[in-house]
Amino acid sequence: RSLPFATSKRPPLKDVMPAPTADPEEPNKQKAVRIYAGFTEHTYRMVFPFEELFAPHAPRLLTIVPSGTVENDKVLEPKKEKGLITYAYPQSISDAAAELPVPQHQDGNVDSISAMASKSCKIRDTEFVWCRDDGTTALVQTWPTNINDKFRMDFQISEGMNPDATKFLPQAVSEFQRAMVQLFGHAANSCPVWFCHKKLTSASPAVVGISEDVLAYVSEHPELMRKLSIA
């Protein structure tokens, strides 16, 4: 399970802000670690609600991570409440990872031509990877989501209008739109991207610092470990 503390080992996928009324505890004991009485988590995502808009077209989705690993490989059947979701910031992939081969699809719904093509296809040949003008290689990491009533309750949604370019970075928006056009065809230009924001306020303690310092601090404070539900 994920632990309710933050470290500086990797950039966060979500914005986590300490509760404004929570002052760090024990500042003189271990300055490298800050303890907050609570936090507010902001999640920003973009969604392409393809649903049944492009039926009977059912393209192949590859969820590719920056390491070049394909985490998801499936055919996107046109259905209500179906969409693709991605991060609100641009991603890149290394040249070495882009040269990796795409795993052969095992789904019987993929036609024989596509199956044959996948045998010699590289990551850079997919709809989700391409070379930018600056020489870097763009990656759009996207995966399926259900845009049902629960999704609409959890997220504030702006359809087709970017409410905050500092959160939904314009480069990420344009690259997501490009990937969707490459995946679904030019008709995808008429389908607006959803800009989705979820806010979660938690009263659980938040521990912030370098991973090694955080682990050392938490191990020395059994009561904090219990509050964090760490066995």
Side-chain angles (χ1 to χ4, degrees):
R1 58 179 297 178
S2 59
L3 303 182
F5 52 74
T7 74
S8 61
K9 281 291 187 181
R10 57 182 295 182
L13 301 184
K14 304 172 183 177
D15 291 341
V16 180
M17 298 297 294
T21 58
D23 294 325
E25 300 173 358
E26 303 182 350
N28 297 323
K29 288 190 176 182
Q30 193 157 351
K31 294 181 179 180
V33 176
R34 291 172 293 165
I35 315 298
Y36 296 92
F39 61 91
T40 299
E41 178 182 83
H42 294 273
T43 302
Y44 300 92
R45 298 288 185 267
M46 295 184 293
V47 170
F48 185 79
F50 65 86
E51 298 190 286
E52 299 174 312
L53 295 176
F54 310 103
H57 186 43
R60 178 188 180 188
L61 168 70
L62 297 173
T63 302
I64 304 169
V65 300
S67 66
T69 299
V70 177
E71 290 193 338
N72 194 9
D73 182 351
K74 67 178 296 183
V75 173
L76 298 176
E77 300 291 347
K79 292 181 181 179
K80 289 184 178 181
E81 298 186 338
K82 293 296 182 180
L84 291 176
I85 191 168
T86 191
Y87 300 118
Y89 54 84
Q91 290 181 283
S92 298
I93 189 170
S94 68
D95 291 340
E99 288 297 322
L100 293 173
V102 174
Q104 186 174 354
H105 194 88
Q106 300 298 321
D107 195 319
N109 292 327
V110 177
D111 59 54
S112 58
I113 296 178
S114 296
M116 291 175 62
S118 69
K119 293 181 180 180
S120 58
C121 183
K122 296 180 180 180
I123 293 294
R124 69 165 63 256
D125 300 323
T126 68
E127 295 88 345
F128 313 97
V129 175
W130 62 87
C131 185
R132 297 188 181 104
D133 291 340
D134 64 2
T136 61
T137 304
L139 168 66
V140 174
Q141 179 183 343
T142 183
W143 60 97
T145 190
N146 294 317
I147 47 178
N148 50 23
D149 290 341
K150 183 180 185 308
F151 185 93
R152 295 173 183 273
M153 289 179 60
D154 290 343
F155 284 89
Q156 294 179 334
I157 302 172
S158 175
E159 299 186 14
M161 178 81 63
N162 188 344
D164 188 343
T166 66
K167 301 300 183 184
F168 302 95
L169 301 187
Q171 180 182 344
V173 177
S174 63
E175 291 183 347
F176 186 42
Q177 291 172 323
R178 172 172 172 170
M180 294 302 96
V181 169
Q182 293 178 165
L183 186 63
F184 290 96
H186 290 292
N189 284 313
S190 62
C191 180
V193 169
W194 291 5
F195 299 88
C196 308
H197 170 222
K198 179 169 65 175
K199 179 180 178 181
L200 173 65
T201 301
S202 175
S204 298
V207 186
V208 182
I210 302 298
S211 58
E212 292 81 2
D213 295 333
V214 168
L215 292 173
Y217 186 89
V218 171
S219 65
E220 294 170 1
H221 294 76
E223 180 60 30
L224 180 59
M225 291 181 67
R226 285 191 289 272
K227 289 181 180 180
L228 296 173
S229 300
I230 301 175

